[in-house]
Amino acid sequence: MTFSLTNLANPTRFLNFAGTVIPWLAALTVLLLGVGLYQAVFVAPTDYQQGETVRIMYIHVPAAWVGMGCYAVIAIAALGTLIWRHPLADVAAKAAAPIGAAFTFVILVTGSLWGKPMWGTYWVWDARLTSLLVLFLLYLGLIALWQSIEDPGRAGRAAAILALVGAVNLPIIKFSVDWWNTLHQPASVFRTGGSTIDPALLTPLFVMGGAFLALFVLLHLIAMRAEILRRRVRVLQQTQVQQAQIAQAARA
Amino acid sequence: MKAVLALVRRDIALSFREGGAIGVALGFYLVVVAIAPFGLGPDLNLLARVAPGLLWIALLLAALLSADRIFHNDYEDGSLDVLAMGPLPLAGVAASKSLAHWVTTCVPLALLAPVLGLLLNFPIHTIPLLVLAMLAGTPAVSFIAGIGASLTLGLRRSGLLIALLVLPLYVPVLIFGVSTISAAVTDPVRLGRRFMLCAISLASMVLAPLAAAAALRTGFR
């Protein structure tokens, strides 16, 4: 992994790499999503208690894996920005934040759509829901910070610090929310028997997990490519403005 | 240590002589708590039940009002550059400025809280505990606000941005701050949880200045 990471530090080499990988990855994503969705919707049996609504799980759970894993990607990229000054680390973190926010949003939406028929309400202040909501807010804060700082270098380092502060805080938030919830709501009836999932349900779930992972990597590569190109355009515009100013000064 | 004390004393003196800021924060705190019954209804039992949470949330918002001032003035007039080059490590500068914010903003707010608690029918015998819990929890508020202030230094609309960045990080303070107070009202056995509040404050006082100093360095260049 380090081999490829150091190799890809050069943005041009990264763009070439992304250009060759993206079509293959897109094909893989479509294939996995197709197989996974077909299995999830048509093949997988319905749950004896939840009925058809169990199928929401095939979107919800993989989105949860990716949405939370994405924050880990950002935190590692933040270390890369601050410690090794890897030139693509802050591009990676910046590209990952909106994707993570989107996946977290999908978790919250599918969760509440599932919650309505199952729990009778779209939203409960269950510990898991609440800590995911806080995660979503952290993503929004990161995106807002990137949007507010014009200079990409400073924005990258500031966001990296915020991402690490968030990474330190997330376990504390998780712990305190768990504790808060059990104080107010001692009987947490909303735990479905996670470990007792039937293999017939589990296979499509893992296929969907693979599909979402491929989708994440695909979107991430595309977003990183777009960000690198955006920075190049920015530099080009700046040099154009400078040259115009120099030309104007020479004329005057 | 002497430099830290001198810096804290200077910041406190500055903010008192500048005037206004503390009064505005206190007034904001009063207004937020005063309009809450219009939204929730005048039922005194209900107000007493929501009082701890309401007092804490309003305090967080009032403390954040002045958070963008933690480094702003010194950044504008260049004193921050001088401080950065001085003998005191930048984390020490960040720590003393956050401490000054705590003394000038959070302590007055915590001292105003009992009066507002009376408006909300908060039981009188637990008021000393209310103040103690707020004094124990607010160092975390000021020091984490210091991270937000240093990240957004020199940006437009930095005040709003600080709130968006920092409020999610206040979730543990809020949870343990409120539970300490409500535990005192309903169930004194659970009072041991107040140590969690102190732990969060102490940890933020150690760790937050390091993050704030790193963030300040990205702003300099």
Side-chain angles (χ1 to χ4, degrees), chain A residues 34 103 105 114 177 228:
Chain A
F103 275 107
F105 188 68
W114 180 85
V177 165
I228 292 171

Side-chain angles (χ1 to χ4, degrees), chain A residues 134 137-138 140-141 144-145 148-151 154 157-158 161-162 165-166 169 172-173 175-177 179-180 183, chain B residues 147 150-153 155-156 161 164-165 168-169 171-172 175-176 179 190 193 196 200 207 211 214-215 218-219 221:
Chain A
V134 174
L137 294 175
L138 286 178
L140 289 190
L145 191 60
S148 320
I149 305 179
E150 222 167 279
D151 173 49
R154 186 189 166 191
R157 281 193 299 277
I161 293 165
L162 183 65
V165 170
N169 257 277
I172 303 172
I173 293 174
F175 160 73
S176 53
V177 165
W179 183 78
W180 163 76
L183 179 72
Chain B
I147 301 179
S150 54
L151 283 172
T152 57
L153 196 57
L155 302 182
R156 276 165 286 138
L161 191 56
L164 179 60
L165 300 184
L169 303 179
V171 169
I175 288 175
F176 286 104
S179 70
R190 284 190 187 272
R193 304 289 183 178
M196 279 308 299
I200 292 171
L207 296 177
T218 71
R221 292 214 298 141

Side-chain angles (χ1 to χ4, degrees), chain B:
Chain B
M1 199 60 219
K2 225 167 125 188
V4 171
L5 281 180
L7 196 54
V8 172
R9 206 175 297 134
R10 162 183 173 273
D11 275 13
I12 294 173
L14 271 177
S15 83
F16 274 105
R17 284 175 201 157
E18 194 183 28
I22 300 170
V24 170
L26 290 175
F28 181 83
Y29 195 22
L30 175 66
V31 167
V32 170
V33 173
I35 63 162
F38 296 107
L40 298 169
D43 176 18
L44 284 180
N45 290 327
L46 173 71
L47 288 179
R49 209 151 50 84
V50 298
L54 199 56
L55 289 172
W56 262 107
I57 293 171
L59 181 135
L60 293 181
L61 296 178
L64 279 181
L65 259 193
S66 53
D68 60 332
R69 318 298 297 175
I70 296 180
F71 299 106
H72 183 264
N73 284 350
D74 286 344
Y75 176 72
E76 289 276 281
D77 66 11
S79 337
L80 200 57
D81 296 299
V82 178
L83 287 172
M85 283 184 283
L88 190 61
L90 202 51
V93 175
S96 10
K97 295 204 146 291
S98 306
L99 187 64
H101 178 262
W102 181 70
V103 174
T104 56
T105 309
C106 289
V107 171
L109 288 173
L111 294 179
L112 182 65
V115 183
L116 303 181
L118 290 180
L119 287 178
L120 297 174
N121 189 30
F122 194 72
I124 291 186
H125 64 276
T126 49
I127 275 182
L129 193 91
L130 170 74
V131 178
L132 278 181
M134 284 190 161
L135 288 179
T138 42
V141 174
S142 283
F143 278 76
I144 294 175
I147 301 179
S150 54
L151 283 172
T152 57
L153 196 57
L155 302 182
R156 276 165 286 138
R157 295 188 303 278
S158 59
L160 279 177
L161 191 56
I162 292 178
L164 179 60
L165 300 184
V166 161
L167 277 176
L169 303 179
Y170 284 162
V171 169
V173 182
L174 189 58
I175 288 175
F176 286 104
V178 171
S179 70
T180 305
I181 304 174
S182 10
V185 178
T186 56
D187 175 14
V189 183
R190 284 190 187 272
L191 263 177
R193 304 289 183 178
R194 72 184 178 280
F195 293 121
M196 279 308 299
L197 197 60
C198 302
I200 292 171
S201 269
L202 289 174
S204 339
M205 287 173 81
V206 174
L207 296 177
L210 300 175
L216 285 177
R217 268 187 215 108
T218 71
F220 287 148
R221 292 214 298 141

Side-chain angles (χ1 to χ4, degrees), chain A:
Chain A
M1 198 61 202
T2 40
F3 163 72
S4 65
L5 272 183
T6 36
N7 236 358
L8 294 176
N10 181 335
T12 310
R13 215 175 285 164
F14 175 82
L15 286 180
N16 290 335
F17 168 77
T20 44
V21 167
I22 283 173
W24 292 100
L25 204 56
L28 179 71
T29 310
V30 170
L31 182 76
L32 280 175
L33 265 182
V35 173
L37 279 176
Y38 176 77
Q39 284 196 326
V41 176
F42 298 108
V43 179
T46 55
D47 188 82
Y48 79 104
Q49 254 182 335
Q50 305 175 19
E52 295 287 344
T53 52
V54 75
R55 303 195 192 284
I56 294 177
M57 178 186 79
Y58 297 114
I59 303 289
H60 181 73
V61 174
W65 292 340
V66 174
M68 289 188 277
C70 183
Y71 200 91
V73 170
I74 294 179
I76 294 166
L79 287 177
T81 306
L82 292 175
I83 299 173
W84 299 289
R85 312 228 160 195
H86 192 284
L88 286 183
D90 77 292
V91 174
K94 184 178 180 183
I99 304 173
F103 275 107
T104 314
F105 188 68
V106 168
I107 308 169
L108 294 172
V109 168
T110 52
S112 64
L113 287 178
W114 180 85
K116 183 62 184 170
M118 285 298 110
W119 303 341
T121 169
Y122 284 114
W123 185 262
V124 284
W125 288 94
D126 175 68
R128 282 186 167 193
L129 275 74
T130 313
S131 26
L132 267 177
L133 185 64
V134 174
L135 178 67
F136 182 63
L137 294 175
L138 286 178
Y139 277 129
L140 289 190
L142 275 173
I143 296 169
L145 191 60
W146 262 300
Q147 301 267 318
S148 320
I149 305 179
E150 222 167 279
D151 173 49
R154 186 189 166 191
R157 281 193 299 277
I161 293 165
L162 183 65
L164 288 180
V165 170
V168 172
N169 257 277
L170 270 175
I172 303 172
I173 293 174
K174 177 86 180 105
F175 160 73
S176 53
V177 165
D178 278 344
W179 183 78
W180 163 76
N181 179 257
T182 47
L183 179 72
H184 288 268
Q185 200 185 44
S188 192
V189 291
F190 306 122
R191 294 276 182 278
T192 51
S195 52
T196 57
I197 298 180
D198 190 79
L201 297 171
L202 214 51
T203 319
L205 185 63
F206 280 133
V207 176
M208 284 301 282
F212 269 58
L213 183 64
L215 180 65
F216 170 74
V217 177
L218 175 69
L219 290 174
H220 194 205
L221 283 179
I222 293 175
M224 280 179 73
R225 185 166 68 171
E227 177 63 23
I228 292 171
L229 293 177
R230 192 179 300 129
R231 287 184 187 186
R232 288 196 176 169
V233 170
R234 192 182 126 90
V235 171
L236 281 181
Q237 283 173 336
Q238 279 176 339
T239 43
Q240 265 178 350
V241 169
Q242 276 168 0
Q243 279 167 353
Q245 280 170 342
I246 292 169
Q248 208 172 22
R251 235 179 289 135

